[in-house]
Amino acid sequence: MTSFAFHLDYTDPTSRARLGRFETPHGVVETPIFMPVGTRGTVKGIWPDELREMGAKMILANTYHLALRPGESVVKDLGGLHAFMNWQGPILTDSGGYQVFSLAELRQMDRDRVVFKSHVDGSMFDLTPARAVQIQEDLGADVIMCLDECPPHDAPAEKMQAAVDRTTRWAALCRDAQKRPDQALFGILQGGTDQAMRERSAEGLLPLDFPGYAIGGLSVGEAPADMYSTLDFTVPLLPEHKPRYLMGVGRPIDIIEAVLRGVDMFDCVMPTRNARNATAFTSHGLVKMRNLRYQRDTRPLDANCNCPTCQQFSRGYLRHLFQVEEMLGAQALTVHNLAYYQQVMRDLRAAIKSNSAQEFRLDHLARMTADP
Amino acid sequence: MTSFAFHLDYTDPTSRARLGRFETPHGVVETPIFMPVGTRGTVKGIWPDELREMGAKMILANTYHLALRPGESVVKDLGGLHAFMNWQGPILTDSGGYQVFSLAELRQMDRDRVVFKSHVDGSMFDLTPARAVQIQEDLGADVIMCLDECPPHDAPAEKMQAAVDRTTRWAALCRDAQKRPDQALFGILQGGTDQAMRERSAEGLLPLDFPGYAIGGLSVGEAPADMYSTLDFTVPLLPEHKPRYLMGVGRPIDIIEAVLRGVDMFDCVMPTRNARNATAFTSHGLVKMRNLRYQRDTRPLDANCNCPTCQQFSRGYLRHLFQVEEMLGAQALTVHNLAYYQQVMRDLRAAIKSNSAQEFRLDHLARMTADP
């Protein structure tokens, strides 16, 4: 297998936060890292060079959506995901499992096979661990994920344990199905917010010796405090010298809290989805861009931000764009929100390096209460 | 008044085509020029620096839309159109007349006043020549337009003549209402496709000595041949040493035909609107991007194009973006279509300079029949 070495460069003596470098066939990324989400092979409203310029190094695409449209064979014929999207950095694809269990309309689950109806046109699809790997091999990302079952956070213990065991069994099948040596296949822990379940999940998956481990089944409706406490007992179950990826998280504060608990990788649609809904993340907290108070406001969205949006446009102009439903509004806020997330990650890495990650967390919380 | 000098640098000996430079407070532009349309203060889907990079030098915004939302006083408070949009080059605003007669739902027309219902929320507005100028002075473009009446191209002679006379009377009222010395107010000829009407319009407007003249009332449903023949007898009515602007035109071939007949300035929503509808203008003709034939096509949209879209994306990827309704599809085709228009204008100016404008026209027509 191609080297996917994970170098652990530094660990914060005051927390579990750590600095690392993760080597992939498309470059080395510094961790902790936030990966913008390009669901259907495009981070909505953004050009690849805009992502590069804001410092994004690695992005995520969704197997479920791409398998439905245009189909993985089309992506493969167009040169694989990197050529398809014109993104030369590392890419991670999820397994499609989460979407099958949350988006698809109808489904039937056998022991090692799930049948579902496409949310797009109702056509029937089925997914097995081997098929999830084959699709991801055709798509060609650097990091691919095992097919997992993600139950509701409040699922009864019996169902939770069945999901953990199924996820472990599927992980072994995924590992056996993997053919490409140039992709890192990550295992995914399940088990909700229950310590015994997470231990059971780790016990099943660690012997499979994946090059990285993800924590699934969080940020699915549980309270933030429950997520943090789950990380408190789950992260220590994972190998120290392999990357740890918290799937689908989250708000900047959630990422900071998770980094302090030892997580290295993140993805979330929040910065991009909120941008399209006229909500900006700023160094002063959330800004609802449609608010009348910004109508004649000549100030930039965030005076502390160097992104193209904050360098070029006033709050009044941004508000206007949303009021008249012009595309540039969503584009501009997407650029800003993603740039803000990248800035948070850069600042957080610097804080870890200077042993001030805890202070960084407190400062972030304090600034979120300020009036923008 | 600030200098809006128009320098006529060269006239093609084989046609009426000419090369000029038009001085404005926000820079000098070379003519013939095509102005991308930023209806509501944004060229849809495009950042200002993308416009600059493709060579766009002057853009248009619509008075009617901006007066309705956000209102000209908001634009003024946000620093005027240039600051509002972050566009430092010249801007032209239309008078709003065309939209009042085509978009607004109800209207009542007095001698020198038109009352209409906003197409956005049904609220009542009224427009007079003086008010059209005041709005445009608040918006702050470099070139502003007289309020005109644009009748249907097949209006009966009586109605056409009334519109010509009203447009002449309103032009005088606009000129009298103008306060800002740093904006060039252009007159607009009406008269449909009738030579006597166009002569009547020119006779009324030329004594008012505007710094530039527009030809309105074309590209409103008449056949292209009728537009060209109208230009044959209308353009010679206009002053030689002032810029001539053909409003709302058009396809690349229409622009080329009009340049050969002596027109200097153009605007049209066609490149941007068609882009959003998945239709590309290329050096080989129109490309319908959703066509299945492009599904696995790894070639760039237009091999002869240097735009970011053609440098970065395959036809197969562009097709995918439209099939799944991703914003980047519209963004990418908008960049390409506008870049293509700018390239046509650059090539056309070079052809005039080398006395080969007629050959350029024939070559353009020949290439449009090729298979993309």
Side-chain angles (χ1 to χ4, degrees):
Chain A
M1 180 182 283
T2 309
S3 164
F4 279 91
F6 180 68
H7 306 279
L8 197 55
D9 290 333
Y10 188 70
T11 302
D12 181 10
T14 72
S15 75
R16 288 188 178 133
R18 52 210 223 141
L19 296 174
R21 281 167 297 129
F22 181 38
E23 286 180 19
T24 80
H26 287 83
V28 182
V29 298
E30 289 181 72
T31 61
I33 187 171
F34 176 79
M35 301 177 284
V37 177
T39 300
R40 302 191 187 106
T42 156
V43 179
K44 293 186 197 306
I46 294 277
W47 289 72
D49 51 3
E50 291 175 314
L51 282 171
R52 272 191 294 277
E53 281 157 24
M54 67 177 64
K57 301 290 186 193
M58 182 167 183
I59 61 178
L60 179 144
N62 287 108
T63 293
Y64 170 84
H65 293 90
L66 289 168
L68 262 46
R69 295 184 298 180
E72 71 276 13
S73 83
V74 172
V75 175
K76 187 180 185 183
D77 283 357
L78 292 171
L81 260 185
H82 296 86
F84 183 67
M85 300 178 64
N86 186 37
W87 176 259
Q88 306 314 325
I91 303 176
L92 181 150
T93 46
D94 65 0
S95 67
Y98 181 79
Q99 282 75 26
V100 167
F101 290 102
S102 63
L103 271 184
E105 280 175 39
L106 284 179
R107 65 181 186 269
Q108 164 198 337
M109 189 151 58
D110 303 334
R111 182 176 156 87
D112 293 327
R113 177 166 173 266
V114 57
V115 181
F116 62 94
K117 259 185 162 170
S118 157
H119 76 287
V120 176
D121 61 4
S123 57
M124 297 300 291
F125 280 81
D126 69 285
L127 203 54
T128 62
R131 168 115 173 88
V133 169
Q134 170 256 307
I135 297 172
Q136 293 184 83
E137 293 195 329
D138 285 349
L139 294 176
D142 300 83
V143 177
I144 64 178
M145 304 301 295
C146 289
L147 187 65
D148 62 328
E149 182 185 350
C150 180
H153 72 98
D154 53 359
E158 194 176 316
K159 187 171 164 49
M160 192 64 85
Q161 181 168 323
V164 165
D165 292 347
R166 187 192 307 270
T167 295
T168 299
R169 193 169 67 245
W170 284 3
L173 293 172
C174 284
R175 205 192 56 165
D176 293 346
Q178 188 181 10
K179 294 194 187 85
R180 280 183 64 161
D182 58 340
Q183 296 181 301
L185 174 66
F186 279 23
I188 304 177
L189 269 70
Q190 287 291 345
T193 54
D194 184 87
Q195 183 162 3
M197 290 291 177
R198 289 286 175 180
E199 286 169 356
R200 185 181 180 99
S201 186
E203 279 161 22
L205 290 171
L206 263 59
L208 296 173
D209 196 27
F210 289 110
Y213 285 90
I215 301 167
L218 288 180
S219 198
V220 292
E222 79 284 1
D226 292 338
M227 177 166 81
Y228 305 156
S229 61
T230 301
L231 292 174
D232 283 331
F233 56 69
T234 301
V235 175
L237 301 171
L238 300 176
E240 187 183 355
H241 291 280
K242 290 181 175 177
R244 303 156 175 173
Y245 164 32
L246 179 55
M247 302 181 80
V249 173
R251 296 174 302 161
I253 186 60
D254 297 325
I255 292 174
I256 295 166
E257 296 283 3
V259 164
L260 288 171
R261 288 165 172 83
V263 177
D264 307 304
M265 301 169 65
F266 301 87
D267 81 283
C268 191
V269 297
M270 206 174 274
T272 43
R273 182 173 293 166
N274 278 7
R276 298 194 303 282
N277 292 328
T279 300
F281 291 93
T282 77
S283 60
H284 306 282
L286 286 184
V287 169
K288 301 281 191 182
M289 210 67 254
R290 294 184 194 269
N291 197 308
L292 182 61
R293 69 195 289 195
Y294 304 126
Q295 186 180 41
R296 294 167 199 264
D297 192 336
T298 58
R299 292 174 296 169
L301 171 55
D302 186 342
N304 299 317
C305 180
N306 292 320
C307 85
T309 300
C310 291
Q311 294 304 306
Q312 296 182 55
F313 301 138
S314 65
R315 295 179 185 187
Y317 182 62
L318 292 170
R319 176 180 189 271
H320 164 69
L321 294 176
F322 279 101
Q323 290 300 108
V324 298
E325 294 174 17
E326 278 284 351
M327 291 170 69
L328 187 58
Q331 295 170 238
L333 242 55
T334 300
V335 164
H336 168 78
N337 281 355
L338 287 176
Y340 175 74
Y341 265 64
Q342 293 301 327
Q343 189 61 47
V344 168
M345 301 310 289
R346 278 192 295 270
D347 292 345
L348 179 52
R349 290 194 297 264
I352 297 169
K353 202 166 191 173
S354 63
N355 294 337
S356 56
Q358 298 283 7
E359 290 83 346
F360 180 82
R361 171 183 162 275
L362 291 173
D363 178 61
H364 180 83
L365 285 169
R367 281 189 292 122
M368 289 307 102
T369 62
D371 187 337
Chain B
M1 176 182 288
T2 308
S3 164
F4 280 91
F6 180 67
H7 306 279
L8 197 54
D9 289 334
Y10 188 70
T11 303
D12 180 10
T14 72
S15 75
R16 289 189 178 131
R18 52 211 224 142
L19 295 174
R21 281 167 298 129
F22 181 39
E23 285 180 20
T24 80
H26 288 82
V28 182
V29 299
E30 290 181 71
T31 61
I33 189 172
F34 176 80
M35 301 177 284
V37 177
T39 300
R40 300 191 188 103
T42 156
V43 178
K44 293 186 196 307
I46 293 277
W47 290 71
D49 51 3
E50 291 175 313
L51 282 172
R52 271 190 293 277
E53 281 156 22
M54 69 176 66
K57 301 291 187 193
M58 182 168 183
I59 62 179
L60 179 144
N62 287 109
T63 293
Y64 170 84
H65 292 90
L66 289 168
L68 261 47
R69 294 186 299 182
E72 72 276 13
S73 83
V74 172
V75 175
K76 187 180 185 182
D77 283 357
L78 291 170
L81 260 185
H82 297 86
F84 183 67
M85 301 179 63
N86 187 37
W87 177 258
Q88 306 315 326
I91 302 176
L92 180 150
T93 46
D94 65 1
S95 67
Y98 181 79
Q99 283 74 27
V100 167
F101 291 102
S102 62
L103 272 184
E105 281 175 39
L106 284 179
R107 65 180 186 270
Q108 163 198 338
M109 191 151 57
D110 302 335
R111 182 176 155 89
D112 292 327
R113 177 166 173 267
V114 56
V115 182
F116 62 94
K117 259 185 160 169
S118 157
H119 76 287
V120 176
D121 62 3
S123 58
M124 297 300 292
F125 280 81
D126 69 285
L127 205 53
T128 63
R131 168 115 173 88
V133 168
Q134 171 256 308
I135 296 172
Q136 293 183 83
E137 292 194 330
D138 285 349
L139 294 175
D142 300 83
V143 177
I144 64 177
M145 303 300 297
C146 289
L147 187 65
D148 62 329
E149 181 186 350
C150 179
H153 72 96
D154 52 1
E158 194 175 317
K159 186 169 165 52
M160 192 63 84
Q161 182 169 323
V164 164
D165 292 348
R166 187 192 308 270
T167 295
T168 298
R169 192 170 68 244
W170 284 2
L173 293 172
C174 284
R175 205 192 56 166
D176 293 346
Q178 188 181 11
K179 293 195 188 84
R180 280 183 65 161
D182 59 341
Q183 295 181 302
L185 175 64
F186 279 23
I188 304 177
L189 270 70
Q190 287 291 345
T193 53
D194 184 87
Q195 183 162 1
M197 290 292 178
R198 288 288 173 180
E199 285 169 356
R200 184 181 181 98
S201 185
E203 278 162 21
L205 289 171
L206 263 59
L208 296 173
D209 196 27
F210 289 110
Y213 285 91
I215 301 167
L218 288 180
S219 198
V220 292
E222 80 285 1
D226 292 338
M227 177 166 81
Y228 305 156
S229 60
T230 301
L231 292 173
D232 283 330
F233 56 69
T234 302
V235 175
L237 301 172
L238 299 176
E240 187 184 355
H241 291 278
K242 289 182 176 178
R244 303 155 175 174
Y245 164 31
L246 178 56
M247 302 182 79
V249 172
R251 295 174 302 163
I253 186 61
D254 296 326
I255 293 174
I256 294 167
E257 295 283 3
V259 164
L260 288 171
R261 288 165 173 82
V263 176
D264 307 304
M265 300 170 68
F266 301 87
D267 80 283
C268 191
V269 296
M270 207 174 273
T272 43
R273 181 173 293 166
N274 278 6
R276 298 194 303 283
N277 293 328
T279 300
F281 291 93
T282 77
S283 61
H284 306 282
L286 287 184
V287 168
K288 301 281 191 183
M289 209 69 252
R290 292 185 196 270
N291 197 308
L292 183 60
R293 68 195 291 195
Y294 304 125
Q295 185 181 41
R296 293 168 199 264
D297 192 336
T298 57
R299 292 174 296 170
L301 170 56
D302 187 341
N304 299 317
C305 179
N306 292 320
C307 84
T309 301
C310 291
Q311 295 303 307
Q312 295 182 57
F313 301 139
S314 66
R315 296 178 184 187
Y317 182 62
L318 292 170
R319 176 179 188 271
H320 164 69
L321 294 175
F322 279 100
Q323 290 301 107
V324 298
E325 293 173 18
E326 279 284 352
M327 293 170 69
L328 186 58
Q331 295 171 239
L333 242 53
T334 300
V335 164
H336 167 79
N337 280 356
L338 287 176
Y340 175 74
Y341 266 64
Q342 293 301 327
Q343 189 60 47
V344 167
M345 300 311 289
R346 278 193 295 271
D347 292 345
L348 179 52
R349 290 195 297 265
I352 297 169
K353 201 167 192 173
S354 63
N355 295 336
S356 57
Q358 298 284 6
E359 290 83 346
F360 180 83
R361 172 182 161 277
L362 290 174
D363 178 61
H364 180 83
L365 285 169
R367 281 190 292 122
M368 289 307 102
T369 62
D371 187 336

